[in-house]
Amino acid sequence: MNSRCMVCILALVLLQWMGCHSTRATADGPARHSPANTMKTADEAAQKALAALPQLAQTNTYRGMGFASIEEARSAQLGAAIPRKIVSYVELLKYQPGVPLSRLFTGDEEMVYPFQIGSTTKSTTAVSKKEGAWHIASVGDAYLARVMSAAPEQPQRLHIISVPGLSLDFAGTPHGEDWELFPAQDYPELDVTRGRPIRAEELLPRLSNYAKNFEKQYGDQIRKRRLVK
């Protein structure tokens, strides 16, 4: 099974688990932003995801979640949160040379918390803020753990930069108006290689051209499915 698909399934299982532990859950089970998945702070949401981890780490899931064993998954602890910035697909299509990366971010607030064994990040949970409350967006996402590790070090300023409309992710650190981006994998279509950092001002023109070509081929389909912002 695709690891990102498994993350979605685990999120649904988590919501069901939370619903069973909430006196306010409905008979039909909790919605994504039900009372069971509504917290006042990002830390509270992450702690709830951690509490559910032992229920989610089963024989058929723990490896896909990034753990070496069920026992390892059940002994994981939360690391320090890392902000996740979402790049707007629509803004990429309108991009003009010289516009800084920060101007392309959506207003979404999302934090990614490492699930750690010692100082080693094995997996993650992501929490997002909508309508004034924090919600668990994903749990057991080993892919985002690999994104974090793409940077040679993990300084306090580390962010995750994601372009969900194009399924692209980078670790990134700000340098004034510019960003240094670290690809989590090779992206041949952008002439970008894992482990080789690139400045946002250099990458953005390529990224915009890629988005425009993608739009020509799949624009109608993705708008019907409302996959981008």
Side-chain angles (χ1 to χ4, degrees):
M1 179 187 296
N2 181 285
S3 61
R4 304 316 300 280
C5 291
M6 191 188 76
V7 168
C8 295
I9 293 171
L10 287 173
L12 292 174
V13 173
L14 171 62
L15 291 173
Q16 292 172 356
W17 179 87
M18 291 166 62
C20 291
H21 289 74
S22 171
T23 58
R24 295 179 292 175
T26 66
D28 295 328
R32 182 171 294 276
H33 293 162
S34 71
N37 189 23
T38 302
M39 278 67 73
K40 293 181 180 179
T41 68
D43 285 351
E44 183 183 353
Q47 288 290 348
K48 187 165 285 191
L50 178 66
L53 195 57
Q55 303 296 322
L56 299 176
Q58 303 296 328
T59 302
N60 60 337
T61 61
Y62 73 87
R63 290 188 185 278
M65 295 168 73
F67 297 104
S69 66
I70 293 177
E71 291 72 22
E72 184 178 74
R74 293 176 179 177
S75 63
Q77 299 295 318
L78 285 179
I82 294 175
R84 187 181 192 184
K85 301 293 188 183
I86 306 299
V87 176
S88 166
Y89 175 80
V90 173
E91 292 300 320
L92 266 181
L93 295 176
K94 299 188 295 183
Y95 171 76
Q96 296 295 321
V99 173
L101 177 62
S102 59
R103 293 274 296 277
L104 306 184
F105 293 150
T106 69
D108 295 0
E109 290 189 63
E110 187 164 323
M111 303 296 287
V112 178
Y113 287 77
F115 285 144
Q116 295 181 324
I117 301 297
S119 60
T120 302
T121 296
K122 294 287 189 170
S123 189
T124 64
T125 183
V127 300
S128 60
K129 188 177 185 181
K130 295 186 183 298
E131 299 177 355
W134 287 90
H135 314 277
I136 299 170
S138 68
V139 63
D141 193 337
Y143 170 73
L144 288 182
R146 293 194 295 274
V147 173
M148 290 180 184
S149 67
E153 296 180 0
Q154 295 194 7
Q156 293 181 347
R157 297 188 303 157
L158 183 68
H159 292 63
I160 293 175
I161 309 297
S162 296
V163 192
L166 299 173
S167 298
L168 304 172
D169 299 277
F170 304 84
T173 54
H175 297 273
E177 282 291 299
D178 198 18
W179 287 72
E180 187 174 26
L181 303 176
F182 302 86
Q185 61 188 61
D186 294 346
Y187 293 123
E189 62 274 20
L190 298 173
D191 192 23
V192 167
T193 304
R194 186 181 188 280
R196 184 180 300 169
I198 184 170
R199 291 282 181 169
E201 63 180 3
E202 181 182 350
L203 178 64
L204 282 175
R206 305 181 201 175
L207 197 54
S208 179
N209 288 334
Y210 178 59
K212 290 172 182 175
N213 291 331
F214 189 84
E215 173 72 12
K216 289 178 183 178
Q217 295 185 61
Y218 306 109
D220 290 340
Q221 297 178 40
I222 60 179
R223 276 188 295 277
K224 284 179 183 178
R225 297 176 63 187
R226 302 180 70 180
L227 296 178
V228 298
K229 297 181 178 181

